[in-house]
């Protein structure tokens, strides 16, 4: 996405500018569409005219999808694009992505990110105590439920790094990531998005607990049996599975998925692949 | 998110309306903030004034985050909100969510969905042939690489259902979902979002292959050894791991994560939890 509107500046002589600025510059994408990135201020009525003429040309060229990336400083152009038939695709804090489909029929434009990713951290010490917190905001506020530290995996953050970070932030305990024991997918979560949370096993590297000030009411090490005996844990199928899996890991022979760094097929960047290394290496 | 602007209609007498419409209606969220959902047409200058007055009141009340959900038909109000200091939080095709943070310091508003989720389907028949496709658009267009069927998990769709659907769409082969063998997380994918793809094991329930018309160049059953011998597969670390895991599953003793329906702690809706049921049940 590296194209700009033609660089003739907008000035008082709109008629003249209009003649210079007949079409928007665009780059082709890999799917028969075009991408416009607005880089300069424009009058909104002029933008509407230029956009209309550009669509006519792209239609003539057989183009399919049209994307307009509109930085927030050019917010004055949003209404004009919508008037030309564009709809919202997605937005980030500093830009809005609009899109349009030229051919007849249903569009095949890809959807934006659909899932939020979370972690829940199972951290047990040598005394069979588990690291737990009470939250001071959100659903659990005022419920007195002791729960594993949880948190959101940020865009661009590895799941294994997020688990270590969240435990540190909420309890000040240092940990080492071991493996993913299970995960759960759910739907219609925040902003109607889907959600996957990964149950992570971490090994404690320190023991002193200090709760985070703003979102954590209390944090401590609690005997696992006491955690398990909480009515909230006993009552919910999901939490009963989590208890069973954690105990199978500690006392039995349970293998989860461990992170292994790999390079992707299309770049040299290292990413983590997670799989059952116990079984794979045992072949 | 169920609040509207006060219901006095906007008419020619803007002065009068302004007096009636001093503040926007808002509902409180669980985190000390407020949510406004615009439900009726308004003049943009009037909206700006009312919004300014509302923010002053919310500040007085000690509110933190402010959310405005703006349906696309009220796109004329976007610019006014941005002028009052709002930024874009996220957008769906039919609305834009704007946000604002009243207190001093960095905001703690939650991020929108950060990940796209994909599947890659390993389907092998009794003759040790694997189901493969060549893609006619995107990165693999024209490369002659035979690859497992892949696809995107839609918002609201279970991973196990998405894998069965994608195999059916691309090849017309019916399958049964067995388990997740591995997954890979990567970053800076489409629209700069992060991405998790799940390698899924499916069992074929039918054998006749018919390729999808628009996105698939070719589809067939291919001896696994021939798939594995492709230079593209040999060259890439990620694909070599995938081959090893698939072979360990077929010939060895590899356990992945199987889907188990569970209810969540906060609703009666059934969701899938994925874990190593072989190890858990073997305790």
């Amino acid at each position: 996405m590296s194209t700009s509107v033609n660089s003739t500046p907008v000035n008082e002589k709109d008629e003249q500018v209009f003649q210079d600025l007949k079409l928007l510059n665009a780059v082709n994408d890999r799917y028969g569409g075009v991408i416009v990135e607005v880089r300069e201020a424009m009058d909104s009525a002029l933008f509407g005219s230029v956009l209309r003429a550009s669509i006519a040309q792209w239609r003539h060229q057989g183009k399919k999808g049209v994307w307009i990336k509109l930085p927030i400083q050019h917010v004055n152009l949003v209404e004009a694009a919508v008037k030309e038939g564009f709809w919202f695709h997605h937005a980030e804090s500093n830009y809005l992505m609009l899109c349009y489909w030229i051919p007849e029929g249903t569009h095949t434009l890809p959807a934006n990110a659909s899932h939020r990713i979370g972690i829940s951290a199972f951290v047990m010490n040598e005394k069979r105590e588990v690291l737990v917190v009470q939250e001071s905001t959100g659903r659990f506020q005022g419920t007195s439920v002791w729960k594993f530290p949880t948190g959101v995996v940020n865009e661009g953050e590895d799941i294994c790094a997020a688990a270590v970070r969240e435990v540190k932030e909420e309890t000040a305990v240092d940990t080492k990531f071991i493996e993913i024991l299970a995960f759960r997918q759910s739907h219609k979560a925040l902003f109607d998005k889907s959600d996957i949370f990964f149950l992570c096993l971490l090994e404690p590297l320190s023991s002193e607990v200090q709760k985070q000030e703003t979102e954590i009411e209390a944090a401590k090490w609690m005997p696992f049996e006491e955690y398990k005996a909480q009515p909230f844990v006993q009552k919910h199928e999901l939490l009963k599975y989590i208890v069973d899996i954690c105990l199978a890991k500690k006392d039995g022979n349970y293998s989860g998925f461990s992170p292994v760094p790999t390079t992707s097929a299309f770049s040299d960047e290292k990413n983590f692949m997670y799989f059952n290394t116990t079984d794979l290496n045992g072949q």
Side-chain angles (χ1 to χ4, degrees), chain A residues 14 21 39 81 100 124 129 143 153 161 191 196 241 245 252 277 279:
Chain A
D14 273 352
L21 267 183
R39 293 188 190 276
Y100 182 80
M124 190 187 260
E129 291 169 332
T143 61
V153 179
F191 308 125
I196 298 176
Y241 274 121
I245 291 167
T277 53
D279 282 1

Side-chain angles (χ1 to χ4, degrees), chain A residues 179-196:
Chain A
E179 66 182 25
I180 285 169
L181 300 176
F183 63 89
R184 199 276 308 265
Q185 185 191 25
S186 62
H187 304 298
K188 296 279 170 193
L190 188 67
F191 308 125
D192 274 352
K193 295 294 174 178
S194 295
D195 178 284
I196 298 176

Side-chain angles (χ1 to χ4, degrees), chain A residues 38 40-44 47 70 74-82:
Chain A
V38 176
E40 286 164 25
M42 275 184 91
D43 170 77
S44 67
F47 178 73
L70 207 57
H74 305 311
V75 64
N76 65 309
L77 307 181
V78 177
E79 191 178 356
V82 170

Side-chain angles (χ1 to χ4, degrees), chain A residues 148-279:
Chain A
F148 293 174
T150 55
V152 173
V153 179
N154 295 325
E155 191 173 301
E157 186 179 35
D158 290 319
I159 296 163
C160 48
V164 171
R165 175 184 56 72
E166 283 288 350
V167 172
K168 178 76 175 175
E169 281 178 11
E170 295 196 350
T171 69
V173 172
D174 291 307
T175 54
K176 180 182 169 191
F177 186 90
I178 307 296
E179 66 182 25
I180 285 169
L181 300 176
F183 63 89
R184 199 276 308 265
Q185 185 191 25
S186 62
H187 304 298
K188 296 279 170 193
L190 188 67
F191 308 125
D192 274 352
K193 295 294 174 178
S194 295
D195 178 284
I196 298 176
F197 96 84
F198 290 93
L199 175 64
C200 302
L201 172 69
L202 296 95
E203 199 174 89
L205 299 175
S206 69
S207 58
E208 197 186 340
V209 176
Q210 197 174 343
K211 79 177 183 75
Q212 192 237 38
E213 281 308 314
T214 53
E215 288 168 13
I216 301 298
E217 190 63 35
K220 66 174 183 180
W221 293 100
M222 174 185 251
F224 192 81
E225 290 306 311
E226 204 177 308
Y227 167 80
K228 182 181 162 182
Q230 293 182 99
F232 182 84
V233 175
Q234 286 297 311
K235 192 175 145 199
H236 293 292
E237 199 180 13
L238 175 70
L239 287 158
K240 280 191 285 185
Y241 274 121
I242 289 176
V243 163
D244 287 349
I245 291 167
C246 291
L247 285 177
K249 183 71 210 176
K250 284 294 169 183
D251 301 333
N253 201 24
Y254 185 95
S255 297
F257 285 177
S258 303
V260 175
T262 61
T263 47
S264 118
F266 292 106
S267 83
D268 287 338
E269 210 177 315
K270 282 276 171 197
N271 290 304
F272 284 104
M273 189 165 174
Y274 297 76
F275 56 90
N276 187 335
T277 53
T278 310
D279 282 1

